[in-house]
Amino acid sequence: MKKKLIILRFFSCLFLAASLALVASCNDDEGGKKDSFDRTRMLQHYADALILPAYNDLYSNINALHEAATAFDATPNAQTLQNLQQAWETAYTTWQYANAYNFGPAGEAGLQKGLIEEIATFPASESKIENAIASGTYNFRDFNRDARGFLAVEYLIFDPENNPEKILTDLQSTARREYLLALIENMQSRVADVLENWNDEYKTEFIRNDGTDAGSSTAQLYNEFVRSYESIKNYKLGLPLGLRPGQAAPEPTKVEAYYSGKTVKMFKTHFQAIEDIWYGRAKDGADGIGFREYLEAVEGGPELIVATENQLKAVHEALDAVPELPFSDLLQTHAAALDNLHTELQKHTRFFKSDMSSLLGISITYSSGDGD
Amino acid sequence: MATSRMRLNDIHTSLVRPVSIAPLVTFRVIFGVIMTFATIRFVALGWIEDHYTDPIFHFTYYGFSWVKPLPVFWMYVVHVIMGLAALGVMLGLYYRLSAVLLFLTFTYTELIDLTYYLNHYYFVSIACALLILLPANRWFSLDVRRKPEIAATTVPAWTVFTLKLQVAIVYTYAGLAKINHDWLFEALPLKIWMPANDKLPIIGWFLALPVMPYIFSWLGMLYDCTIVYWLSYSKTRPWAYASVVFFHSVTGLMFQIGVFPLVMMGCALIFFPAAWHKRLIDRVRIFLHRMFPALQERTQVVPQTASLSFPGPLKLLLALHFTFQILFPWRYLLYPGNLFWTEEGYRFSWRVMLMEKAGTATFYVKDSATNREGIVVNSEFLNAHQEKQMAMQPDMILQFAHFLKSWYAERGVQDPQVRAEVYVTLNARPSRLLIDPNINLASVEDGWKPKDWIIRYDE
């Protein structure tokens, strides 16, 4: 008898709790913003509107770079060099839009590091590149990541003094031109692999893996997004500005795109790409479901969106105050503007980093947390 | 005087009264199994390198900064010993030695880096220490096979009571900690964590219902506060244990909490009656004999009654331990300000999954000679887990500042001054400064005293 009573009580309570839940969930008009957010659709949007277009663009622009390099190799002259330089600038600008997706097919695998380390390490090592050319032995699989990729190509085809004669003279060496072509072919094959992988199966996996645990697509995308953002502040600006402890002065040669002098254009594009990711905005400006929309749906999110957008505005103002000149020139003329830009980026960090991961409940590591 | 002495005598009598050894044996075996599994899991996940040997800096426990990691080979040796010791505990083979080794190796590895502090690791260390003192190997063990004369079916009651009391403290304190405004009335942090789990198979949609964080907060609090009571009575026990399994399974699915749910599901069995444990052991024994006929006893084991004593030193030791267990979690009352914000007196108090907190910490190192100030890139020194934990806990921020001071002093920065700008978000509220961003942390020492450089939450 008593046993039956207890069972009855238990199920009544369960039933009541369930109905309460049902009523509450139907009755949630005032909390309309709390409509459950669909991460699957967000991932779908990121894959279709941002990530795949970024890799497609990158791939076709690296192919164009290869064509330009082949044309230059056939007839090295001022015009083909200029075309080659232009193709490099276009391709490297496109790279900034793919900068933040170093996971999945573009992530680390065995001895291979993420795509960003393999094709966009800076500053390039002049001595390693010269050694490779002199010895004629290079495999592009070793640890000399500062002797390959975009910035190694840049070193070969640009001159910081902007003297085309000097470049043309240097590139009379067949070994040098062979290295140049080999560098570009290596990038071609790496990007082709990533793109193919995304097209084949990874896209499905990316969209299906829609949790928030450490290995989930949202967590991977988020972590790389933050890492990419921080690299602008720490390495693209902080390092050449000499803002790291122990640096006695700015080091303008330790800058991204030193030889072409396109540093500012590159980090501005990079920041644009980062901002696009936060908004879920395609390159053509079409806004879709991104982190911003995700934040709208969570506790404390609307406040964070306001804070983030205010600071984004401040960052944009700081960016606008920096003209697209070579970094060493800017240090003479716009040092305060550069420092201010770094400060505004620094202020922005917490909105992308801890505030956002905390509100979205994204795990940033695999290790066990405290349990109940 | 006379009556109080009588009462003490009564307590003593009830603590040395003979009870079945079976609950101790189940606890020993299950704990050994889980610890063996947990050790293998830890090694297989590559966490020896990730946690102990890859980082160039380790956060230490106050008073234990002398505990250092060994070279990677020796860390593996430590874990092999730990795994074998866990097996030894499970099988009851060289039991006391195994329990001592398990306690020492496990506690050593936990003390290496404060980053990985978990309440359940603390619990495991305590459980290992208690097992050293308990005669859990005197039945259904390989020690009995080696030395049949130690076999015993009854033990003094204090042995089982010790384990029950420890588990009861864990649950009850975890429950008391949940009695706070955010947990009960804002359903925070569950309101953050539960919708993040809406894609879990089968139960995901259910967890994402807007009312669920409230239901889980209240049920969770009531569950932790009262589960020991429900587990102690035969009428409520089956339902209570079903809820133990349910709660720990759901939290296990929702959060990255490793083997913790298994540990608690195993430990809660200590509240089952001796007869249940005996039946379980008998069944396992029959099963083992059927599977491995060689295991059948060659000679009849004549069980003894273990000496029904409670030696004075042991009594004192356990009294001290439980006094500490009961009082230490309340030390936070001696500190000013919001406990969740300052975390002064937060650890070692069974506060589990209580808050969602995260921070971004920017460290500035200034050369006293040139007055040039540089900005530190934390990830050059810390792994992601270390940085995350450090960026919201004042004592860790201080340790890292001291590390930066000596690191940069060695690299030519004159008398480095270190300050930190730390923005922390607590339970989804807008982030704000945790500590005074202008104070030179390099000249601040850690201690028990309240840290006056923490900016109070209520200010």
Side-chain angles (χ1 to χ4, degrees):
Chain A
M1 236 2 231
K2 266 190 179 158
K3 212 171 188 180
K4 267 186 194 158
L5 258 177
I6 292 174
I7 295 173
L8 191 67
R9 250 176 249 158
F10 177 79
F11 277 104
S12 322
C13 291
L14 198 71
F15 177 74
L16 279 175
S19 6
L20 196 65
L22 209 63
V23 170
S25 58
C26 299
N27 239 344
D28 201 41
D29 289 352
E30 46 145 16
K33 58 169 183 159
K34 296 265 162 28
D35 276 350
S36 78
F37 178 81
D38 190 353
R39 267 192 308 278
T40 321
R41 283 177 59 210
M42 176 182 82
L43 295 173
Q44 178 101 44
H45 176 70
Y46 273 122
D48 288 338
L50 281 90
I51 302 175
L52 276 166
Y55 282 129
N56 273 318
D57 282 0
L58 179 62
Y59 185 55
S60 63
N61 285 333
I62 290 184
N63 286 342
L65 175 63
H66 186 252
E67 269 171 42
T70 318
F72 173 81
D73 185 42
T75 39
N77 60 39
Q79 185 55 48
T80 51
L81 177 64
Q82 205 192 337
N83 293 346
L84 177 58
Q85 289 175 334
Q86 187 55 51
W88 178 89
E89 190 181 329
T90 309
Y92 195 50
T93 309
T94 318
W95 158 253
Q96 303 303 336
Y97 285 91
N99 187 301
Y101 306 126
N102 299 287
F103 54 87
E108 291 186 21
L111 285 179
Q112 187 173 303
K113 296 277 270 178
L115 186 63
I116 186 168
E117 281 94 351
E118 296 292 351
I119 71 168
T121 292
F122 76 87
S125 165
E126 299 182 6
S127 58
K128 282 184 192 169
I129 296 171
E130 294 299 347
N131 281 341
I133 293 169
S135 67
T137 51
Y138 36 84
N139 60 27
F140 300 132
R141 286 189 306 274
D142 53 19
F143 296 110
N144 297 327
R145 297 191 176 89
D146 48 0
R148 60 176 177 256
F150 274 112
L151 291 317
V153 173
E154 187 206 15
Y155 166 68
L156 295 178
I157 63 172
F158 286 94
D159 169 50
E161 311 297 324
N162 208 6
N163 178 0
E165 292 309 317
K166 182 177 179 299
I167 310 165
L168 284 169
T169 316
D170 284 347
L171 281 171
Q172 278 172 359
S173 141
T174 325
R176 208 171 182 81
R177 290 205 305 279
E178 271 171 14
Y179 191 69
L180 173 67
L181 281 167
L183 283 173
I184 297 172
E185 277 154 21
N186 180 252
M187 286 160 61
Q188 257 181 321
S189 82
R190 284 180 192 276
V191 175
D193 281 351
V194 172
L195 182 59
E196 208 174 297
N197 213 325
W198 261 97
N199 277 326
D200 276 357
E201 44 201 286
Y202 186 72
K203 186 183 156 189
T204 324
E205 192 189 320
F206 176 77
I207 295 166
R208 203 189 48 226
N209 187 3
D210 55 8
T212 51
D213 53 300
S216 66
S217 299
T218 305
Q220 294 190 67
L221 174 66
Y222 169 78
N223 283 333
E224 287 303 314
F225 159 77
V226 173
R227 192 162 80 108
S228 184
Y229 169 73
E230 288 203 285
S231 75
I232 304 179
K233 168 176 62 78
N234 294 337
Y235 298 107
K236 298 195 172 181
L237 267 171
L239 179 67
L241 281 174
L243 289 179
R244 294 152 61 84
Q247 277 183 297
E251 301 186 57
T253 57
K254 288 193 174 168
V255 79
E256 179 189 32
Y258 166 71
Y259 302 97
S260 61
K262 298 292 175 193
T263 306
V264 177
K265 179 179 181 186
M266 293 308 162
F267 72 62
K268 280 187 176 179
T269 312
H270 189 173
F271 183 79
Q272 187 60 51
I274 289 293
E275 197 185 82
D276 284 353
I277 294 176
W278 188 75
Y279 278 103
R281 199 162 55 195
K283 214 170 169 180
D284 62 11
D287 201 353
I289 306 168
F291 285 136
R292 188 188 182 282
E293 284 68 24
Y294 191 1
L295 280 169
E296 268 174 4
V298 302
E299 182 75 16
E303 292 91 330
L304 180 57
I305 290 173
V306 172
T308 306
E309 289 183 334
N310 281 338
Q311 186 55 32
L312 281 175
K313 214 180 287 169
V315 172
H316 271 290
E317 280 166 20
L319 277 168
D320 291 343
V322 177
E324 291 188 11
L325 297 170
F327 203 81
S328 43
D329 298 350
L330 285 176
L331 281 173
Q332 308 299 322
T333 56
H334 289 78
L338 286 172
D339 270 338
N340 179 52
L341 174 59
H342 187 274
T343 305
E344 293 303 333
L345 288 169
Q346 180 62 53
K347 281 193 208 161
H348 194 85
T349 307
R350 70 181 202 266
F351 299 124
F352 279 168
K353 208 177 178 181
S354 48
D355 287 10
M356 199 167 141
S357 62
S358 190
L359 262 54
L360 297 183
I362 296 174
S363 307
I364 64 162
T365 59
Y366 283 94
S367 310
S368 303
D370 223 343
D372 185 2
Chain B
M1 271 314 275
T3 48
S4 68
R5 186 167 300 152
M6 286 254 281
R7 235 170 252 151
L8 274 179
N9 276 336
D10 288 350
I11 293 175
H12 180 81
T13 315
S14 71
L15 285 177
V16 294
R17 137 186 88 87
V19 298
S20 165
I21 194 175
L24 285 190
V25 173
T26 319
F27 189 92
R28 183 202 86 212
V29 173
I30 292 181
F31 189 76
V33 170
I34 295 175
M35 287 308 293
T36 311
F37 169 71
T39 309
I40 294 171
R41 172 174 178 267
F42 193 93
V43 174
L45 288 169
W47 285 358
I48 291 182
E49 285 87 347
D50 290 353
H51 287 199
Y52 303 131
T53 61
D54 285 349
I56 55 177
F57 171 69
H58 289 289
F59 294 94
T60 56
Y61 288 83
Y62 188 68
F64 289 91
S65 55
W66 47 274
V67 180
K68 301 278 181 228
L70 294 165
V72 65
F73 173 78
W74 292 106
M75 286 310 297
Y76 273 92
V77 170
V78 167
H79 280 81
V80 168
I81 294 173
M82 193 192 298
L84 291 176
L87 267 178
V89 167
M90 176 187 99
L91 300 170
L93 180 61
Y94 299 105
Y95 168 75
R96 190 137 299 170
L97 175 69
S98 294
V100 168
L101 285 176
L102 185 58
F103 169 72
L104 290 178
T105 51
F106 189 85
T107 308
Y108 161 65
T109 57
E110 287 329 306
L111 285 176
I112 291 175
D113 197 324
L114 176 58
T115 304
Y116 313 108
Y117 169 79
L118 292 183
N119 283 290
H120 89 258
Y121 289 161
Y122 175 43
F123 175 75
V124 166
S125 272
I126 291 173
C128 291
L130 293 177
L131 280 176
I132 297 172
L133 307 176
L134 304 178
N137 63 326
R138 299 188 63 171
W139 190 244
F140 194 56
S141 72
L142 292 180
D143 281 343
V144 167
R145 179 169 281 266
R146 286 191 310 127
K147 291 190 283 180
E149 67 274 15
I150 68 160
T153 50
T154 52
V155 287
W158 64 266
T159 56
V160 180
F161 180 70
T162 296
L163 289 177
K164 284 185 178 174
L165 182 57
Q166 185 62 52
V167 175
I169 289 174
V170 172
Y171 270 118
T172 312
Y173 274 74
L176 290 177
K178 290 185 171 70
I179 303 181
N180 67 70
H181 176 85
D182 270 10
W183 183 273
L184 294 176
F185 299 109
E186 307 288 340
L188 284 166
L190 289 185
K191 220 190 259 175
I192 305 170
W193 292 338
M194 294 186 66
N197 285 285
D198 59 345
K199 297 291 184 182
L200 283 180
I202 305 165
I203 56 167
W205 67 273
F206 178 71
L207 297 179
L209 294 177
V211 74
M212 278 298 145
Y214 290 93
I215 292 181
F216 269 63
S217 291
W218 281 86
L219 284 184
M221 183 274 288
L222 292 171
Y223 166 84
D224 279 343
C225 284
T226 61
I227 189 65
V228 167
Y229 178 81
W230 305 119
L231 281 170
S232 300
Y233 295 95
S234 58
K235 270 183 200 147
T236 47
R237 190 174 296 122
W239 294 112
Y241 196 71
S243 75
V244 167
V245 172
F246 173 77
F247 257 81
H248 290 303
S249 305
V250 170
T251 51
L253 283 172
M254 274 168 57
F255 309 121
Q256 277 171 219
I257 50 181
V259 296
F260 178 74
L262 290 176
V263 173
M264 289 323 280
M265 283 187 228
C267 289
L269 294 174
I270 193 74
F271 293 99
F272 278 52
W276 182 88
H277 285 279
K278 197 171 168 311
R279 270 202 308 279
L280 177 70
I281 294 166
D282 287 342
R283 260 182 225 157
V284 173
R285 188 194 295 274
I286 291 167
F287 172 77
L288 286 176
H289 285 177
R290 213 172 279 156
M291 295 296 290
F292 313 99
L295 279 178
Q296 293 198 19
E297 267 84 352
R298 282 153 301 196
T299 50
Q300 191 66 33
V301 173
V302 186
Q304 316 282 313
T305 298
S307 111
L308 292 175
S309 67
F310 194 0
L314 207 53
K315 215 185 268 180
L316 182 68
L317 192 66
L318 286 173
L320 283 175
H321 168 72
F322 284 114
T323 309
F324 177 84
Q325 283 294 306
I326 288 167
L327 291 182
F328 201 55
W330 298 103
R331 71 190 182 284
Y332 79 93
L333 293 172
L334 301 173
Y335 292 98
N338 181 332
L339 168 68
F340 289 4
W341 184 249
T342 67
E343 298 203 34
E344 293 180 293
Y346 192 86
R347 297 184 200 106
F348 303 107
S349 310
W350 314 116
R351 296 175 211 285
V352 279
M353 302 298 278
L354 260 189
M355 57 181 182
E356 169 60 45
K357 198 179 177 192
T360 296
T362 313
F363 287 81
Y364 298 84
V365 178
K366 190 192 242 177
D367 187 313
S368 295
T370 64
N371 264 345
R372 196 180 168 89
E373 194 173 63
I375 305 168
V376 176
V377 177
N378 297 337
S379 58
E380 288 177 5
F381 305 103
L382 306 175
N383 66 31
H385 198 155
Q386 288 178 310
E387 184 178 359
K388 179 185 152 90
Q389 292 296 325
M390 177 275 291
M392 58 180 172
Q393 299 180 53
D395 55 347
M396 296 177 81
I397 290 169
L398 188 59
Q399 283 189 30
F400 187 52
H402 285 205
F403 162 77
L404 291 172
K405 178 198 168 158
S406 54
W407 175 274
Y408 284 110
E410 279 168 28
R411 278 153 190 82
V413 176
Q414 294 293 308
D415 186 18
Q417 301 170 42
V418 184
R419 63 183 190 93
E421 205 173 73
V422 185
Y423 280 93
V424 170
T425 167
L426 177 59
N427 281 347
R429 295 191 181 89
S431 54
R432 42 167 131 170
L433 282 173
L434 176 69
I435 63 168
D436 180 350
N438 299 313
I439 196 162
N440 178 13
L441 296 168
S443 60
V444 175
E445 289 303 322
D446 200 1
W448 291 99
K449 285 201 191 120
K451 297 174 170 56
D452 55 8
W453 40 276
I454 299 176
I455 298 174
R456 301 293 156 199
Y457 195 63
D458 24 43
E459 267 166 31

